[in-house]
Amino acid sequence: MIVIYVDADACPVKDEVIKVATRHALPVYMVSNSYLRNVSGPRVQCIVVSEGADEADDWIVEHIEAGDVFVTADILLAERCIKKKASGLKPTGKEFTTENIGSTVAMRNLSTHLRETGEISGQNKPFDKKDRSNFLQSLEKIIQYNLRHKAD
């Protein structure tokens, strides 16, 4: 069975994950460093890990298996999950794959360096309705694909 893991501390699509997971009767782990209010569903478990930069990431990586699905904006967590043959999405609906994770990590590292040296500044664009819609479509697509191929 497919399990969905959500890096939940700042995730804007928790409700959407629960909606899609409920439709497919899939278990969901919402992993965070603090208690999450108003997060519930028939197969949703909230996991609160101890404080620390990578505690939630480490918990997810320890439990995720091939064919499972993860949701995170954390590119380094995505890289670790992809290595375990899991499928994943950013909250905007962009899919993390074995084909794009290397260049995604490289761009993250370059952007971090440019921000640290003052070459660039700025913030990410605000999360909007189109991102939410893209996320729902992408999550459904990944779940459908993994349901067909999990037994392979």
Side-chain angles (χ1 to χ4, degrees):
M1 170 173 286
I2 296 169
V3 178
I4 302 173
Y5 293 87
V6 180
D7 184 10
D9 280 314
C11 181
V13 291
K14 291 185 277 288
D15 291 340
E16 289 77 5
V17 170
I18 293 168
K19 178 181 174 181
V20 175
T22 300
R23 183 178 328 130
H24 292 284
L26 298 176
V28 176
Y29 289 100
M30 296 279 179
V31 186
S32 66
N33 293 108
S34 60
Y35 173 76
L36 299 171
R37 292 181 294 147
N38 303 322
V39 175
S40 64
R43 303 193 71 191
V44 176
Q45 289 188 36
C46 292
I47 306 295
V48 179
V49 297
S50 59
E51 290 293 322
D54 292 327
E55 293 296 322
D57 298 0
D58 292 344
W59 193 95
I60 291 169
V61 171
E62 182 179 322
H63 291 86
I64 202 164
E65 296 179 0
D68 288 340
V69 175
F70 63 92
V71 178
T72 187
D74 183 329
I75 294 167
L76 298 181
L77 171 58
E79 180 183 39
R80 293 170 68 191
C81 292
I82 291 290
K83 286 179 181 175
K84 292 190 78 173
K85 301 192 183 329
S87 302
L89 293 172
K90 284 185 173 185
T92 59
K94 181 179 183 232
E95 190 173 350
F96 293 109
T97 66
T98 55
E99 291 79 21
N100 72 16
I101 195 65
S103 61
T104 303
V105 170
M107 283 302 298
R108 175 212 173 266
N109 293 340
L110 177 60
S111 294
T112 298
H113 174 73
L114 292 174
R115 273 192 304 278
E116 288 171 351
T117 60
E119 295 291 322
I120 62 169
S121 62
Q123 301 173 349
N124 295 330
K125 78 175 189 69
F127 188 80
D128 61 24
K129 289 181 182 180
K130 184 176 182 198
D131 293 326
R132 198 171 303 280
S133 177
N134 289 342
F135 176 80
L136 280 166
Q137 290 175 5
S138 296
L139 182 59
E140 182 66 32
K141 182 182 107 185
I142 284 176
I143 289 172
Q144 290 290 337
Y145 178 85
N146 287 10
L147 286 171
R148 286 192 306 272
H149 295 91
K150 180 83 175 182
D152 293 349

